[in-house]
mmCIF file of all heavy atoms in Angstrom:
data_model
loop_
_atom_site.group_PDB
_atom_site.id
_atom_site.type_symbol
_atom_site.label_atom_id
_atom_site.label_comp_id
_atom_site.label_asym_id
_atom_site.label_seq_id
_atom_site.Cartn_x
_atom_site.Cartn_y
_atom_site.Cartn_z
ATOM 1 N N MET Y 1228 4.675 1.911 -7.062
ATOM 2 C CA MET Y 1228 4.096 0.931 -6.149
ATOM 3 C C MET Y 1228 4.553 1.198 -4.715
ATOM 4 O O MET Y 1228 5.697 1.572 -4.467
ATOM 5 C CB MET Y 1228 4.496 -0.490 -6.574
ATOM 6 C CG MET Y 1228 4.020 -0.875 -7.964
ATOM 7 S SD MET Y 1228 2.246 -0.648 -8.277
ATOM 8 C CE MET Y 1228 1.548 -1.766 -7.092
ATOM 9 N N ALA Y 1240 0.184 -6.328 9.697
ATOM 10 C CA ALA Y 1240 -0.206 -6.701 8.340
ATOM 11 C C ALA Y 1240 0.405 -5.710 7.364
ATOM 12 O O ALA Y 1240 0.885 -4.639 7.767
ATOM 13 C CB ALA Y 1240 -1.729 -6.722 8.203
ATOM 14 N N GLY Y 1241 0.360 -6.091 6.084
ATOM 15 C CA GLY Y 1241 0.858 -5.184 5.059
ATOM 16 C C GLY Y 1241 0.585 -5.751 3.686
ATOM 17 O O GLY Y 1241 0.546 -6.969 3.503
ATOM 18 N N CYS Y 1242 0.366 -4.853 2.711
ATOM 19 C CA CYS Y 1242 0.150 -5.327 1.341
ATOM 20 C C CYS Y 1242 0.665 -4.305 0.339
ATOM 21 O O CYS Y 1242 0.855 -3.128 0.654
ATOM 22 C CB CYS Y 1242 -1.329 -5.642 1.087
ATOM 23 S SG CYS Y 1242 -2.415 -4.217 1.045
ATOM 24 N N LEU Y 1243 0.897 -4.803 -0.890
ATOM 25 C CA LEU Y 1243 1.303 -3.965 -2.019
ATOM 26 C C LEU Y 1243 0.114 -3.109 -2.447
ATOM 27 O O LEU Y 1243 -1.011 -3.614 -2.540
ATOM 28 C CB LEU Y 1243 1.738 -4.881 -3.171
ATOM 29 C CG LEU Y 1243 2.339 -4.225 -4.396
ATOM 30 C CD1 LEU Y 1243 3.706 -3.608 -4.074
ATOM 31 C CD2 LEU Y 1243 2.481 -5.252 -5.524
ATOM 32 N N VAL Y 1244 0.368 -1.846 -2.705
ATOM 33 C CA VAL Y 1244 -0.722 -0.913 -3.028
ATOM 34 C C VAL Y 1244 -0.337 -0.060 -4.241
ATOM 35 O O VAL Y 1244 0.745 0.528 -4.273
ATOM 36 C CB VAL Y 1244 -1.024 -0.016 -1.800
ATOM 37 C CG1 VAL Y 1244 -1.868 1.193 -2.197
ATOM 38 C CG2 VAL Y 1244 -1.738 -0.822 -0.718
ATOM 39 N N GLY Y 1245 -1.241 -0.042 -5.221
ATOM 40 C CA GLY Y 1245 -1.072 0.857 -6.360
ATOM 41 C C GLY Y 1245 -1.989 2.058 -6.280
ATOM 42 O O GLY Y 1245 -1.691 3.115 -6.831
ATOM 43 N N PHE Y 1246 -3.113 1.886 -5.601
ATOM 44 C CA PHE Y 1246 -4.097 2.977 -5.488
ATOM 45 C C PHE Y 1246 -3.684 3.881 -4.333
ATOM 46 O O PHE Y 1246 -4.193 3.750 -3.200
ATOM 47 C CB PHE Y 1246 -5.485 2.421 -5.218
ATOM 48 C CG PHE Y 1246 -6.071 1.606 -6.334
ATOM 49 C CD1 PHE Y 1246 -7.157 0.771 -6.096
ATOM 50 C CD2 PHE Y 1246 -5.562 1.667 -7.625
ATOM 51 C CE1 PHE Y 1246 -7.711 0.019 -7.114
ATOM 52 C CE2 PHE Y 1246 -6.105 0.908 -8.654
ATOM 53 C CZ PHE Y 1246 -7.196 0.084 -8.392
ATOM 54 N N ALA Y 1247 -2.772 4.822 -4.620
ATOM 55 C CA ALA Y 1247 -2.259 5.686 -3.562
ATOM 56 C C ALA Y 1247 -1.683 6.951 -4.175
ATOM 57 O O ALA Y 1247 -0.971 6.875 -5.180
ATOM 58 C CB ALA Y 1247 -1.170 4.949 -2.780
ATOM 59 N N CYS Y 1260 -5.528 3.364 -0.628
ATOM 60 C CA CYS Y 1260 -6.772 2.588 -0.715
ATOM 61 C C CYS Y 1260 -6.491 1.102 -0.492
ATOM 62 O O CYS Y 1260 -5.601 0.529 -1.119
ATOM 63 C CB CYS Y 1260 -7.425 2.794 -2.071
ATOM 64 S SG CYS Y 1260 -7.897 4.496 -2.346
ATOM 65 N N LEU Y 1261 -7.266 0.510 0.391
ATOM 66 C CA LEU Y 1261 -7.086 -0.905 0.739
ATOM 67 C C LEU Y 1261 -8.310 -1.695 0.320
ATOM 68 O O LEU Y 1261 -9.455 -1.280 0.583
ATOM 69 C CB LEU Y 1261 -6.854 -1.056 2.249
ATOM 70 C CG LEU Y 1261 -5.567 -0.415 2.770
ATOM 71 C CD1 LEU Y 1261 -5.481 -0.559 4.288
ATOM 72 C CD2 LEU Y 1261 -4.332 -1.041 2.100
ATOM 73 N N SER Y 1262 -8.063 -2.839 -0.309
ATOM 74 C CA SER Y 1262 -9.146 -3.730 -0.725
ATOM 75 C C SER Y 1262 -9.817 -4.347 0.497
ATOM 76 O O SER Y 1262 -9.141 -4.820 1.416
ATOM 77 C CB SER Y 1262 -8.565 -4.835 -1.613
ATOM 78 O OG SER Y 1262 -9.485 -5.890 -1.726
ATOM 79 N N ALA Y 1264 -11.057 -7.066 0.649
ATOM 80 C CA ALA Y 1264 -10.769 -8.505 0.697
ATOM 81 C C ALA Y 1264 -9.481 -8.803 1.454
ATOM 82 O O ALA Y 1264 -9.229 -9.950 1.827
ATOM 83 C CB ALA Y 1264 -10.656 -9.052 -0.731
ATOM 84 N N ASN Y 1265 -8.626 -7.765 1.653
ATOM 85 C CA ASN Y 1265 -7.291 -8.006 2.195
ATOM 86 C C ASN Y 1265 -7.270 -8.075 3.711
ATOM 87 O O ASN Y 1265 -8.000 -7.352 4.396
ATOM 88 C CB ASN Y 1265 -6.340 -6.888 1.747
ATOM 89 C CG ASN Y 1265 -6.027 -6.977 0.269
ATOM 90 O OD1 ASN Y 1265 -6.404 -7.953 -0.386
ATOM 91 N ND2 ASN Y 1265 -5.361 -5.980 -0.251
ATOM 92 N N ARG Y 1266 -6.346 -8.893 4.224
ATOM 93 C CA ARG Y 1266 -6.152 -8.931 5.676
ATOM 94 C C ARG Y 1266 -5.669 -7.565 6.169
ATOM 95 O O ARG Y 1266 -6.022 -7.146 7.274
ATOM 96 C CB ARG Y 1266 -5.152 -10.029 6.047
ATOM 97 C CG ARG Y 1266 -4.907 -10.090 7.548
ATOM 98 C CD ARG Y 1266 -4.195 -11.354 7.955
ATOM 99 N NE ARG Y 1266 -3.996 -11.355 9.400
ATOM 100 C CZ ARG Y 1266 -2.993 -10.739 10.011
ATOM 101 N NH1 ARG Y 1266 -2.106 -10.075 9.295
ATOM 102 N NH2 ARG Y 1266 -2.883 -10.790 11.320
ATOM 103 N N THR Y 1267 -4.865 -6.890 5.360
ATOM 104 C CA THR Y 1267 -4.360 -5.573 5.773
ATOM 105 C C THR Y 1267 -5.517 -4.628 6.098
ATOM 106 O O THR Y 1267 -5.461 -3.874 7.076
ATOM 107 C CB THR Y 1267 -3.463 -4.979 4.661
ATOM 108 O OG1 THR Y 1267 -2.428 -5.923 4.364
ATOM 109 C CG2 THR Y 1267 -2.834 -3.665 5.103
ATOM 110 N N TYR Y 1268 -6.562 -4.681 5.289
ATOM 111 C CA TYR Y 1268 -7.739 -3.831 5.552
ATOM 112 C C TYR Y 1268 -8.384 -4.202 6.887
ATOM 113 O O TYR Y 1268 -8.769 -3.323 7.662
ATOM 114 C CB TYR Y 1268 -8.747 -3.967 4.403
ATOM 115 C CG TYR Y 1268 -10.078 -3.352 4.732
ATOM 116 C CD1 TYR Y 1268 -10.215 -1.973 4.846
ATOM 117 C CD2 TYR Y 1268 -11.208 -4.156 4.954
ATOM 118 C CE1 TYR Y 1268 -11.439 -1.407 5.174
ATOM 119 C CE2 TYR Y 1268 -12.427 -3.596 5.278
ATOM 120 C CZ TYR Y 1268 -12.537 -2.227 5.385
ATOM 121 O OH TYR Y 1268 -13.744 -1.659 5.718
ATOM 122 N N LEU Y 1292 6.424 -10.427 -2.168
ATOM 123 C CA LEU Y 1292 6.000 -10.909 -0.846
ATOM 124 C C LEU Y 1292 4.692 -10.227 -0.419
ATOM 125 O O LEU Y 1292 3.741 -10.898 -0.003
ATOM 126 C CB LEU Y 1292 7.103 -10.628 0.181
ATOM 127 C CG LEU Y 1292 6.800 -10.957 1.628
ATOM 128 C CD1 LEU Y 1292 6.553 -12.461 1.816
ATOM 129 C CD2 LEU Y 1292 7.940 -10.495 2.551
ATOM 130 N N PHE Y 1293 4.657 -8.898 -0.555
ATOM 131 C CA PHE Y 1293 3.506 -8.174 -0.023
ATOM 132 C C PHE Y 1293 2.318 -8.124 -0.994
ATOM 133 O O PHE Y 1293 1.203 -7.819 -0.589
ATOM 134 C CB PHE Y 1293 3.928 -6.771 0.427
ATOM 135 C CG PHE Y 1293 4.593 -6.792 1.770
ATOM 136 C CD1 PHE Y 1293 5.959 -6.991 1.875
ATOM 137 C CD2 PHE Y 1293 3.844 -6.689 2.935
ATOM 138 C CE1 PHE Y 1293 6.575 -7.068 3.124
ATOM 139 C CE2 PHE Y 1293 4.448 -6.761 4.177
ATOM 140 C CZ PHE Y 1293 5.810 -6.948 4.279
ATOM 141 N N GLY Y 1294 2.576 -8.448 -2.287
ATOM 142 C CA GLY Y 1294 1.503 -8.415 -3.262
ATOM 143 C C GLY Y 1294 0.926 -9.776 -3.602
ATOM 144 O O GLY Y 1294 -0.235 -9.882 -3.977
ATOM 145 N N SER Y 1295 1.745 -10.820 -3.462
ATOM 146 C CA SER Y 1295 1.300 -12.161 -3.896
ATOM 147 C C SER Y 1295 1.004 -13.102 -2.740
ATOM 148 O O SER Y 1295 0.457 -14.178 -2.952
ATOM 149 C CB SER Y 1295 2.367 -12.819 -4.776
ATOM 150 O OG SER Y 1295 2.448 -12.175 -6.001
ATOM 151 N N GLU Y 1296 1.427 -12.719 -1.551
ATOM 152 C CA GLU Y 1296 1.141 -13.552 -0.379
ATOM 153 C C GLU Y 1296 0.102 -12.825 0.472
ATOM 154 O O GLU Y 1296 0.001 -11.597 0.415
ATOM 155 C CB GLU Y 1296 2.412 -13.775 0.456
ATOM 156 C CG GLU Y 1296 3.560 -14.399 -0.302
ATOM 157 C CD GLU Y 1296 3.329 -15.863 -0.620
ATOM 158 O OE1 GLU Y 1296 2.392 -16.471 -0.052
ATOM 159 O OE2 GLU Y 1296 4.079 -16.398 -1.448
ATOM 160 N N THR Y 1297 -0.634 -13.585 1.263
ATOM 161 C CA THR Y 1297 -1.587 -12.952 2.175
ATOM 162 C C THR Y 1297 -1.255 -13.294 3.618
ATOM 163 O O THR Y 1297 -0.874 -14.436 3.922
ATOM 164 C CB THR Y 1297 -3.047 -13.344 1.860
ATOM 165 O OG1 THR Y 1297 -3.874 -12.824 2.917
ATOM 166 C CG2 THR Y 1297 -3.234 -14.836 1.749
ATOM 167 N N GLY Y 1298 -1.412 -12.310 4.463
ATOM 168 C CA GLY Y 1298 -1.218 -12.507 5.892
ATOM 169 C C GLY Y 1298 -2.246 -13.451 6.492
ATOM 170 O O GLY Y 1298 -2.117 -13.855 7.646
ATOM 171 N N SER Y 1299 -3.261 -13.821 5.701
ATOM 172 C CA SER Y 1299 -4.215 -14.836 6.170
ATOM 173 C C SER Y 1299 -3.547 -16.202 6.210
ATOM 174 O O SER Y 1299 -4.027 -17.121 6.877
ATOM 175 C CB SER Y 1299 -5.432 -14.918 5.242
ATOM 176 O OG SER Y 1299 -6.002 -13.667 5.046
ATOM 177 N N LYS Y 1303 4.151 -12.395 6.812
ATOM 178 C CA LYS Y 1303 5.083 -11.786 5.858
ATOM 179 C C LYS Y 1303 6.305 -11.205 6.558
ATOM 180 O O LYS Y 1303 7.375 -11.108 5.964
ATOM 181 C CB LYS Y 1303 4.370 -10.683 5.069
ATOM 182 C CG LYS Y 1303 3.184 -11.168 4.253
ATOM 183 C CD LYS Y 1303 2.535 -10.041 3.471
ATOM 184 C CE LYS Y 1303 1.203 -10.495 2.906
ATOM 185 N NZ LYS Y 1303 0.535 -9.467 2.108
ATOM 186 N N HIS Y 1339 -12.639 -1.009 -2.688
ATOM 187 C CA HIS Y 1339 -11.526 -0.483 -1.883
ATOM 188 C C HIS Y 1339 -12.045 0.611 -0.941
ATOM 189 O O HIS Y 1339 -12.987 1.331 -1.278
ATOM 190 C CB HIS Y 1339 -10.426 0.098 -2.762
ATOM 191 C CG HIS Y 1339 -9.557 -0.933 -3.411
ATOM 192 N ND1 HIS Y 1339 -10.051 -1.853 -4.313
ATOM 193 C CD2 HIS Y 1339 -8.227 -1.213 -3.283
ATOM 194 C CE1 HIS Y 1339 -9.064 -2.649 -4.726
ATOM 195 N NE2 HIS Y 1339 -7.948 -2.281 -4.104
ATOM 196 N N TYR Y 1361 4.136 0.043 -11.778
ATOM 197 C CA TYR Y 1361 3.090 -0.951 -12.023
ATOM 198 C C TYR Y 1361 3.499 -2.032 -13.031
ATOM 199 O O TYR Y 1361 3.297 -3.221 -12.788
ATOM 200 C CB TYR Y 1361 1.814 -0.231 -12.489
ATOM 201 C CG TYR Y 1361 0.757 -1.164 -12.983
ATOM 202 C CD1 TYR Y 1361 0.021 -1.943 -12.087
ATOM 203 C CD2 TYR Y 1361 0.502 -1.308 -14.352
ATOM 204 C CE1 TYR Y 1361 -0.947 -2.822 -12.542
ATOM 205 C CE2 TYR Y 1361 -0.443 -2.184 -14.808
ATOM 206 C CZ TYR Y 1361 -1.167 -2.941 -13.916
ATOM 207 O OH TYR Y 1361 -2.101 -3.819 -14.361
ATOM 208 N N VAL Y 1364 5.228 -5.182 -11.954
ATOM 209 C CA VAL Y 1364 4.562 -6.128 -11.039
ATOM 210 C C VAL Y 1364 3.159 -6.522 -11.519
ATOM 211 O O VAL Y 1364 2.446 -7.253 -10.832
ATOM 212 C CB VAL Y 1364 4.460 -5.528 -9.610
ATOM 213 C CG1 VAL Y 1364 5.830 -5.416 -8.982
ATOM 214 C CG2 VAL Y 1364 3.768 -4.182 -9.613
ATOM 215 N N ALA Y 1365 2.804 -6.047 -12.712
ATOM 216 C CA ALA Y 1365 1.436 -6.270 -13.214
ATOM 217 C C ALA Y 1365 1.107 -7.752 -13.356
ATOM 218 O O ALA Y 1365 -0.060 -8.145 -13.280
ATOM 219 C CB ALA Y 1365 1.256 -5.561 -14.555
ATOM 220 N N LEU Y 1367 1.904 -10.122 -11.292
ATOM 221 C CA LEU Y 1367 1.747 -10.830 -10.008
ATOM 222 C C LEU Y 1367 0.286 -11.211 -9.788
ATOM 223 O O LEU Y 1367 -0.621 -10.460 -10.151
ATOM 224 C CB LEU Y 1367 2.194 -9.942 -8.842
ATOM 225 C CG LEU Y 1367 3.674 -9.577 -8.744
ATOM 226 C CD1 LEU Y 1367 3.923 -8.736 -7.499
ATOM 227 C CD2 LEU Y 1367 4.536 -10.828 -8.728
ATOM 228 N N THR Y 1368 0.080 -12.371 -9.163
ATOM 229 C CA THR Y 1368 -1.280 -12.759 -8.771
ATOM 230 C C THR Y 1368 -1.498 -12.292 -7.341
ATOM 231 O O THR Y 1368 -0.784 -12.739 -6.426
ATOM 232 C CB THR Y 1368 -1.439 -14.297 -8.837
ATOM 233 O OG1 THR Y 1368 -1.119 -14.710 -10.156
ATOM 234 C CG2 THR Y 1368 -2.859 -14.712 -8.491
ATOM 235 N N PRO Y 1369 -2.443 -11.370 -7.104
ATOM 236 C CA PRO Y 1369 -2.652 -10.866 -5.746
ATOM 237 C C PRO Y 1369 -2.998 -11.981 -4.769
ATOM 238 O O PRO Y 1369 -3.701 -12.940 -5.119
ATOM 239 C CB PRO Y 1369 -3.847 -9.902 -5.907
ATOM 240 C CG PRO Y 1369 -3.868 -9.543 -7.359
ATOM 241 C CD PRO Y 1369 -3.336 -10.735 -8.089
ATOM 242 N N GLY Y 1370 -2.475 -11.865 -3.544
ATOM 243 C CA GLY Y 1370 -2.772 -12.855 -2.508
ATOM 244 C C GLY Y 1370 -4.260 -12.968 -2.235
ATOM 245 O O GLY Y 1370 -4.774 -14.040 -1.928
ATOM 246 N N HIS Y 1371 -4.954 -11.837 -2.337
ATOM 247 C CA HIS Y 1371 -6.415 -11.812 -2.215
ATOM 248 C C HIS Y 1371 -6.957 -11.059 -3.417
ATOM 249 O O HIS Y 1371 -6.615 -9.886 -3.586
ATOM 250 C CB HIS Y 1371 -6.847 -11.053 -0.950
ATOM 251 C CG HIS Y 1371 -7.002 -11.912 0.260
ATOM 252 N ND1 HIS Y 1371 -7.907 -12.941 0.335
ATOM 253 C CD2 HIS Y 1371 -6.391 -11.880 1.459
ATOM 254 C CE1 HIS Y 1371 -7.838 -13.513 1.521
ATOM 255 N NE2 HIS Y 1371 -6.912 -12.892 2.232
ATOM 256 N N ALA Y 1372 -7.773 -11.691 -4.244
ATOM 257 C CA ALA Y 1372 -8.386 -10.963 -5.355
ATOM 258 C C ALA Y 1372 -9.400 -9.981 -4.788
ATOM 259 O O ALA Y 1372 -10.122 -10.315 -3.843
ATOM 260 C CB ALA Y 1372 -9.078 -11.946 -6.288
HETATM 261 C C1 FMN X 1975 -0.011 -4.621 -9.114
HETATM 262 C C2 FMN X 1975 -0.815 -4.784 -7.834
HETATM 263 C C3 FMN X 1975 -1.468 -3.683 -7.284
HETATM 264 C C4 FMN X 1975 -2.222 -3.818 -6.106
HETATM 265 N N1 FMN X 1975 -2.855 -2.722 -5.572
HETATM 266 C C5 FMN X 1975 -3.557 -2.859 -4.427
HETATM 267 C C6 FMN X 1975 -4.149 -1.717 -3.809
HETATM 268 O O1 FMN X 1975 -4.063 -0.584 -4.291
HETATM 269 N N2 FMN X 1975 -4.806 -1.907 -2.629
HETATM 270 C C7 FMN X 1975 -4.913 -3.141 -2.039
HETATM 271 O O2 FMN X 1975 -5.518 -3.240 -0.962
HETATM 272 N N3 FMN X 1975 -4.390 -4.239 -2.610
HETATM 273 C C8 FMN X 1975 -3.702 -4.125 -3.782
HETATM 274 N N4 FMN X 1975 -3.126 -5.218 -4.353
HETATM 275 C C9 FMN X 1975 -3.402 -6.544 -3.806
HETATM 276 C C10 FMN X 1975 -2.676 -6.907 -2.507
HETATM 277 O O3 FMN X 1975 -1.364 -6.375 -2.450
HETATM 278 C C11 FMN X 1975 -2.621 -8.448 -2.356
HETATM 279 O O4 FMN X 1975 -3.915 -9.010 -2.503
HETATM 280 C C12 FMN X 1975 -2.009 -8.900 -1.046
HETATM 281 O O5 FMN X 1975 -1.609 -10.253 -1.198
HETATM 282 C C13 FMN X 1975 -2.964 -8.780 0.140
HETATM 283 O O6 FMN X 1975 -2.297 -9.174 1.310
HETATM 284 P P1 FMN X 1975 -3.049 -9.268 2.717
HETATM 285 O O7 FMN X 1975 -4.224 -10.190 2.556
HETATM 286 O O8 FMN X 1975 -1.993 -9.804 3.636
HETATM 287 O O9 FMN X 1975 -3.461 -7.879 3.074
HETATM 288 C C14 FMN X 1975 -2.339 -5.088 -5.489
HETATM 289 C C15 FMN X 1975 -1.658 -6.194 -6.035
HETATM 290 C C16 FMN X 1975 -0.907 -6.052 -7.185
HETATM 291 C C17 FMN X 1975 -0.190 -7.255 -7.748
#
Side-chain angles (χ1 to χ4, degrees):
M1228 299 307 298
C1242 69
L1243 186 68
V1244 165
F1246 294 163
C1260 298
L1261 295 177
S1262 164
N1265 289 352
R1266 179 166 180 277
T1267 305
Y1268 168 69
L1292 175 63
F1293 280 88
S1295 290
E1296 303 288 347
T1297 172
S1299 308
K1303 299 181 192 182
H1339 283 63
Y1361 170 74
V1364 292
L1367 293 182
T1368 303
H1371 269 298

